[in-house]
Amino acid sequence: MSLTYENPILPGFYPDPCIVRVDDTFYLITSSFQFFPGLPIHKSKDLINWELVGNAINRPSQLSLQHATTKANNLERREIFTGGIYAPTMRFHNGTFYIVCTNLTGSTSMAPEVDFEPNTNFLITCDDLTDPTAYSDPMPFDFYGIDPDLFFDDDGKVYMTGSFIHGYRKKPQTVIRQAEIDLTTGKLVTEARDVWTGTGGNCPEGPHIYKKDGWYYLMIAEGGTHRRHMVTIARSKAATGPFEGYEKNPLITGAPGSPITCVGHADLVEDATGNWWAVMLARRELGERGDSYPLGRETYMVPVDWPEGGFPVFEPVKLRHELAAERGVIGAKQRVSGVDEQVQLSSPQTIYIRDPLLRNYSSEEGAITLHLTETPLGAVGGSPTFVGRRQTFLVSTASAQVDLASAAKTGHAGLAVYKDPFRYASANLDLAAGVVSFNLRHATQEHVVVNSKELKGATVIKLSIQSTVETYIFSYSALIGKRWSPEVELSSIPCSDMSGDDFTGTVFGIYGSGSDGVVRFDSFTIRSD
């Protein structure tokens, strides 16, 4: 008898996974970049069905994303990089969850050669991941780099290991650096020292340390987070090294000809039956030309064989894995499709851009009211009035119904698929002109407004975005009197317009901008098909 599961195990914009098991429950934390709340945490009993239970950054007072900006590294190559909350590590020790992470900052006019600054590495503690108030305020610690890891040794010492930044246009760009840390003060109690340079790939990063069979294993990512990404490992008899690389590195990378690319940034976990698993980020490159991957980097999983005294052996990553029944905890995927799921402000899945003014958002009986501000959807700074949810299915439909009768008389509102200030598309309402149009901005296309349609006599308008593997289709229908007009397609774009070598994934969202007034969305739903 065999079991099967499908990758990604956590679809949508959930990159840089870190996993921990507490008794019979797994917890997984991922990056969030410019979106608030940050550091989403899922839990699962079977590694397949995951529930979002909270966000480690859930109060604007905890941390500012004001400088979580986006820079165009190379628009022709569709290289668009974003700051904010990068790769976290979460570990559980003596009843407490410890989360370490980095907030990278930039300016709204960053040149390609300028790096984001790791201005804050921080520690958050929590004893109940389901309680938003249980997450501590971040405690900063001194480390000029990203991807911090925590390792609790048997002698009571705790080591912080991270990717120290020399500069992304220098050689070497980064190095794996380590120091002992005092978790009560956030102070590094030993001098930070280099412990491994990796196997020669660019940007050694994403370190995690494990102790097994008397060995300390240091697993990292190399090659950059896109197509040269890979997982490598070294080991030592001491937590501080020296570490010797595995002669059969890499443990895993993207396979030639596979639609699964960018494989890397892995973490290991042992289940209650003694089997090992690795979670990692990867990207699905789909469509006839393989240029459709708007969801970006997602969370994947592979079985791992870790023999006593040896190095872990990863199975190749696949979209569909078959397992022997004795692999243990894997369960059947529970899917809900064809149902319109209402987006709610109270849900931990709901996200905003950078530092939201939460007083500008209210809800009643399923409707969401946006209080307009002058920050437009495509602003490179500030926080547009925007309520979103990650796109987690390639084939899906987002819909929003706008009450025109009560809306502000000037300004804009609409339904968008959004990635960053350089890439978004929307069905947009010009409230003053009384028209609906298609708005587009992507890597090689400056902002354009096309195909405007008058809404004479309409009191309500329904906006829709239908996504397929290769296309986003934007449409609308209007309530005039007591009758709905036929649905009209405004435009469509290839998913490649929202794809690129980037860090984030697509988000469906409603938005509004203007000098004053409100816009009421009677409904905002997302359906997976």
Side-chain angles (χ1 to χ4, degrees):
M1 179 181 177
S2 63
L3 302 172
T4 62
Y5 73 90
E6 294 181 0
N7 271 315
I9 59 167
L10 199 58
F13 159 47
Y14 292 109
D16 306 314
C18 179
I19 190 168
V20 63
R21 177 175 64 86
V22 180
D23 298 325
D24 64 347
T25 304
F26 300 92
Y27 297 93
L28 189 147
I29 188 170
T30 54
S31 302
S32 51
F33 295 89
Q34 78 270 42
F35 293 100
F36 174 88
L39 297 177
I41 298 171
H42 290 75
K43 77 171 184 179
S44 175
K45 294 286 189 180
D46 61 11
L47 292 168
I48 300 301
N49 297 286
W50 294 91
E51 176 191 1
L52 181 61
V53 295
N55 296 274
I57 301 293
N58 61 74
R59 304 183 298 274
S61 61
Q62 284 177 287
L63 181 147
S64 175
L65 295 173
Q66 176 184 355
H67 300 293
T69 56
T70 300
K71 72 169 183 174
N73 202 59
N74 187 310
L75 289 177
E76 290 298 323
R77 294 203 301 261
R78 299 191 298 176
E79 294 178 353
I80 298 174
F81 302 158
T82 301
I85 305 300
Y86 273 42
T89 291
M90 180 168 64
R91 295 295 182 242
F92 183 78
H93 183 72
N94 289 344
T96 299
F97 291 92
Y98 293 85
I99 299 165
V100 285
C101 195
T102 316
N103 182 18
L104 274 87
T105 61
S107 73
T108 56
S109 57
M110 290 182 69
E113 65 272 12
V114 176
D115 293 336
F116 291 105
E117 289 286 329
N119 281 336
T120 308
N121 274 276
F122 58 88
L123 165 70
I124 291 174
T125 59
C126 183
D127 57 13
D128 181 359
L129 298 179
T130 65
D131 179 3
T133 67
Y135 293 90
S136 71
D137 287 334
M139 176 191 295
F141 60 88
D142 184 21
F143 180 67
Y144 192 83
I146 60 172
D147 302 359
D149 173 70
L150 290 179
F151 173 72
F152 294 83
D153 208 350
D154 300 333
D155 60 4
K157 293 181 179 180
V158 184
Y159 295 94
M160 188 288 303
T161 308
S163 176
F164 178 84
I165 298 173
H166 290 296
Y168 289 105
R169 282 169 173 76
K170 296 181 179 180
K171 289 192 178 296
Q173 297 165 319
T174 62
V175 67
I176 304 303
R177 188 167 287 189
Q178 181 191 82
E180 188 181 340
I181 189 171
D182 182 343
L183 295 180
T184 63
T185 65
K187 301 294 185 183
L188 302 184
V189 297
T190 62
E191 183 178 353
R193 53 188 292 273
D194 297 350
V195 293
W196 198 33
T197 58
T199 64
N202 288 341
C203 303
E205 58 189 7
H208 293 304
I209 292 181
Y210 316 89
K211 188 176 184 181
K212 184 177 183 292
D213 306 326
W215 289 95
Y216 294 85
Y217 293 84
L218 171 59
M219 188 171 71
I220 71 169
E222 297 184 55
T225 194
H226 297 118
R227 290 187 180 89
R228 295 190 178 101
H229 212 195
M230 57 183 168
V231 177
T232 59
I233 197 166
R235 72 179 182 179
S236 171
K237 282 294 185 177
T240 55
F243 287 92
E244 181 178 353
Y246 181 34
E247 63 181 11
K248 295 184 179 180
N249 276 321
L251 295 177
I252 196 168
T253 189
S258 170
I260 307 172
T261 67
C262 310
V263 179
H265 202 107
D267 194 14
L268 289 160
V269 69
E270 184 181 21
D271 67 28
T273 66
N275 292 307
W276 285 88
W277 307 85
V279 294
M280 66 206 67
L281 70 81
R283 189 171 76 189
R284 288 179 283 178
E285 298 188 358
L286 304 173
E288 288 187 6
R289 298 185 297 177
D291 61 353
S292 178
Y293 38 94
L295 275 60
R297 305 172 306 157
E298 306 169 285
T299 292
Y300 288 66
M301 183 178 72
V302 300
V304 174
D305 178 27
W306 200 341
E308 183 175 356
F311 286 90
V313 179
F314 287 38
E315 288 194 15
V317 63
K318 305 173 184 176
L319 292 176
R320 185 178 180 88
H321 277 271
E322 291 191 7
L323 306 167
E326 59 267 20
R327 282 300 294 190
V329 300
I330 290 293
K333 183 68 174 178
Q334 299 170 8
R335 296 187 180 277
V336 177
S337 60
V339 176
D340 289 327
E341 186 175 355
Q342 183 76 31
V343 177
Q344 299 178 349
L345 296 185
S346 59
S347 170
Q349 298 181 59
T350 298
I351 55 177
Y352 309 85
I353 299 171
R354 292 186 286 275
D355 288 344
L357 294 173
L358 295 179
R359 64 177 181 270
N360 291 333
Y361 305 87
S362 58
S363 63
E364 184 178 1
E365 297 180 355
I368 297 175
T369 299
L370 305 183
H371 297 254
L372 305 186
T373 67
E374 294 186 346
T375 306
L377 177 64
V380 296
S383 182
T385 305
F386 173 94
V387 175
R389 181 175 288 190
R390 291 167 176 85
Q391 181 186 354
T392 57
F393 290 88
L394 294 167
V395 180
S396 55
T397 302
S399 300
Q401 194 165 293
V402 182
D403 180 8
L404 295 175
S406 65
K409 302 307 178 186
T410 61
H412 294 266
L415 175 67
V417 57
Y418 178 92
K419 216 169 195 186
D420 53 52
F422 295 97
R423 290 167 301 174
Y424 57 89
S426 72
N428 179 77
L429 296 169
D430 184 327
L431 299 172
V435 298
V436 60
S437 59
F438 175 67
N439 283 13
L440 175 64
R441 170 78 164 99
H442 63 76
T444 58
Q445 172 65 62
E446 292 293 337
H447 178 247
V448 294
V449 179
V450 299
N451 206 16
S452 295
K453 305 290 186 181
E454 288 190 8
L455 296 173
K456 188 175 181 179
T459 56
V460 179
I461 186 169
K462 181 179 180 181
L463 309 173
S464 297
I465 304 174
Q466 181 183 356
S467 68
T468 68
V469 172
E470 295 192 85
T471 308
Y472 290 102
I473 302 169
F474 298 77
S475 60
Y476 78 96
S477 60
L479 180 64
I480 302 174
K482 296 183 178 181
R483 301 187 63 179
W484 284 95
S485 68
E487 189 171 56
V488 176
E489 181 177 326
L490 281 170
S491 192
S492 64
I493 60 170
C495 291
S496 58
D497 284 355
M498 297 292 135
S499 305
D501 281 349
D502 50 32
F503 300 156
T504 63
T506 43
V507 175
F508 290 125
I510 55 175
Y511 66 92
S513 64
S515 59
D516 196 14
V518 301
V519 173
R520 175 186 167 100
F521 288 81
D522 292 331
S523 64
F524 173 25
T525 61
I526 298 174
R527 184 181 72 246
S528 59
D529 297 315

